[in-house]
């Protein structure tokens, strides 16, 4: 694709701006900012990736993964505000899932320990963790607030914190996983997934593209379960004090 072709593709940005203006949606500024940010961020990351790939340095590759984890964590932590130690919990969760997933892929020689493979797949793993964690925390906090009386009632009857939040935790985990499961049920029928489409457009063999896409889908299913479960089970104990009293979600907690 040439730079001229990319410039002509701006028509797909201009159309929603025009529609927003005439329908008085007030989204023109947001669309422009989002488009500019996406362009700048992708160009910068493109040059960074080119440098990392050319350097063939394991250190630079690990630093790139750390940068991805840091950016994802910052986004998730904002949604988890009010849960004690949420920053440590999120960073720890992302590191564990990334280490387990990538370690398995490399250990079984599914992919080579090469930046060209490790960084894009790591981005998919961590990005999916971010989305699932955001969905989980949104539902979990909502459920905690609406079920506060039930939780305190269970505690008053001698129930443990785990028993008190069991249904709340289960509901939030299930809700966060459903979109991933439903998406995978229709993959290939409704749309061709991103990695598969990219490989095919780049001239790759369709069967090989399918194999890589299946790898990504299996990884996404794994992270869908691990992200929600780890964040949930690591965070709920801090919602209770030493006397096993429910503290609730403290919105001013750092």
């Amino acid at each position: 694709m040439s730079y001229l072709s990319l410039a002509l593709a701006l028509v797909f940005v201009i159309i929603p701006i025009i529609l927003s203006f005439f329908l008085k949606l007030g989204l023109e500024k947001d669309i422009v900012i989002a488009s500019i940010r996406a362009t700048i961020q992708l160009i910068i990351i493109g040059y960074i990736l080119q440098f990392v790939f050319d350097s063939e340095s394991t250190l630079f590759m690990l630093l790139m993964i750390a940068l991805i984890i840091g950016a994802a964590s910052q986004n998730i932590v904002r949604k988890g505000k009010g849960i004690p130690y949420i920053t440590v919990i999120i960073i720890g969760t992302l590191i564990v899932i990334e280490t387990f997933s990538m370690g398995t892929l490399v250990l079984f020689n599914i992919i080579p320990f090469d930046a060209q493979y490790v960084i894009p797949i790591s981005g998919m793993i961590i990005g999916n963790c971010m989305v699932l964690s955001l969905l989980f925390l949104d539902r979990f906090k909502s459920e905690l607030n609406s079920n506060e009386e039930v939780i305190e009632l269970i505690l008053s009857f001698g129930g443990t914190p785990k028993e008190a939040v069991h249904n709340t935790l289960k509901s939030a985990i299930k809700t966060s996983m459903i979109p991933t499961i439903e998406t995978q049920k229709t993959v290939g029928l409704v749309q061709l997934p991103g990695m598969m489409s990219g490989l095919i457009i780049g001239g790759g063999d369709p069967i090989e593209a399918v194999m890589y896409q299946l790898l990504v889908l299996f990884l996404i299913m794994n992270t869908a379960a691990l992200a929600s479960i780890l964040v949930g089970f690591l965070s709920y104990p801090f919602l209770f004090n030493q006397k096993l009293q429910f503290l609730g979600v403290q919105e001013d907690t750092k």
Side-chain angles (χ1 to χ4, degrees):
M1 178 183 290
S2 66
Y3 287 109
L4 176 60
S5 298
L6 182 60
L8 292 174
L10 285 173
V11 67
F12 298 118
V13 175
I14 296 172
I15 290 174
I17 291 175
I18 294 173
L19 291 174
S20 175
F21 176 78
F22 282 104
L23 294 176
K24 298 181 180 179
L25 300 178
L27 297 175
E28 300 92 327
K29 182 179 179 181
D30 290 331
I31 293 172
V32 171
I33 292 175
S35 300
I36 293 174
R37 283 191 58 177
T39 301
I40 294 174
Q41 288 167 186
L42 287 175
I43 290 174
I44 291 173
I45 207 68
Y47 280 110
I48 292 175
L49 287 175
Q50 187 175 44
F51 170 77
V52 174
F53 292 166
D54 293 341
S55 70
E56 298 183 354
S57 169
T58 300
L59 176 60
F60 288 148
M61 180 175 68
L62 295 177
L63 287 174
M64 188 68 196
I65 294 173
L67 177 64
I68 296 172
I69 291 176
S73 299
Q74 186 179 28
N75 196 25
I76 302 169
V77 167
R78 286 199 293 267
K79 177 63 70 174
K81 183 180 179 182
I83 298 177
Y85 307 108
I86 190 62
T87 301
V88 176
I89 291 170
I90 293 301
I91 294 175
T93 295
L94 295 181
I95 291 175
V96 167
I97 295 175
E98 165 66 11
T99 303
F100 171 75
S101 301
M102 197 53 60
T104 301
L105 292 175
V106 174
L107 181 63
F108 289 102
N109 203 29
I110 298 173
I111 65 169
F113 190 63
D114 190 303
Q116 184 179 352
Y117 295 89
V118 173
I119 292 176
I121 293 177
S122 294
M124 294 178 191
I125 293 171
I126 297 167
N128 191 66
C129 283
M130 181 184 72
V131 173
L132 269 295
S133 297
L134 289 171
L135 289 173
F136 169 79
L137 288 169
D138 184 64
R139 182 58 181 264
F140 188 46
K141 290 173 66 176
S142 176
E143 291 273 345
L144 286 173
N145 291 328
S146 61
N147 293 322
E148 185 173 352
E149 293 182 359
V150 175
I151 293 172
E152 291 177 346
L153 181 63
I154 294 174
L155 291 173
S156 67
F157 279 102
T160 63
K162 184 177 180 180
E163 292 171 335
V165 300
H166 175 75
N167 288 334
T168 298
L169 201 56
K170 181 179 176 181
S171 175
I173 292 173
K174 182 177 180 180
T175 300
S176 66
M177 289 184 64
I178 285 176
T180 300
I181 296 171
E182 292 301 319
T183 298
Q184 293 203 11
K185 286 180 180 179
T186 58
V187 69
L189 297 176
V190 178
Q191 65 174 356
L192 295 180
M195 172 171 274
M196 182 177 170
S197 299
L199 288 172
I200 292 174
I201 292 172
D205 177 53
I207 301 301
E208 185 178 5
V210 167
M211 293 175 67
Y212 272 105
Q213 187 60 60
L214 285 173
L215 168 63
V216 171
L217 291 177
F218 296 155
L219 282 171
I220 288 175
M221 184 63 75
N222 174 65
T223 57
L226 288 180
S228 301
I229 292 172
L230 283 176
V231 173
F233 279 89
L234 288 174
S235 61
Y236 89 80
F238 298 109
L239 298 173
F240 302 84
N241 61 21
Q242 293 181 344
K243 297 180 180 179
L244 303 184
Q245 296 172 318
F246 181 58
L247 301 176
V249 178
Q250 308 297 318
E251 292 299 337
D252 59 344
T253 301
K254 301 293 184 182

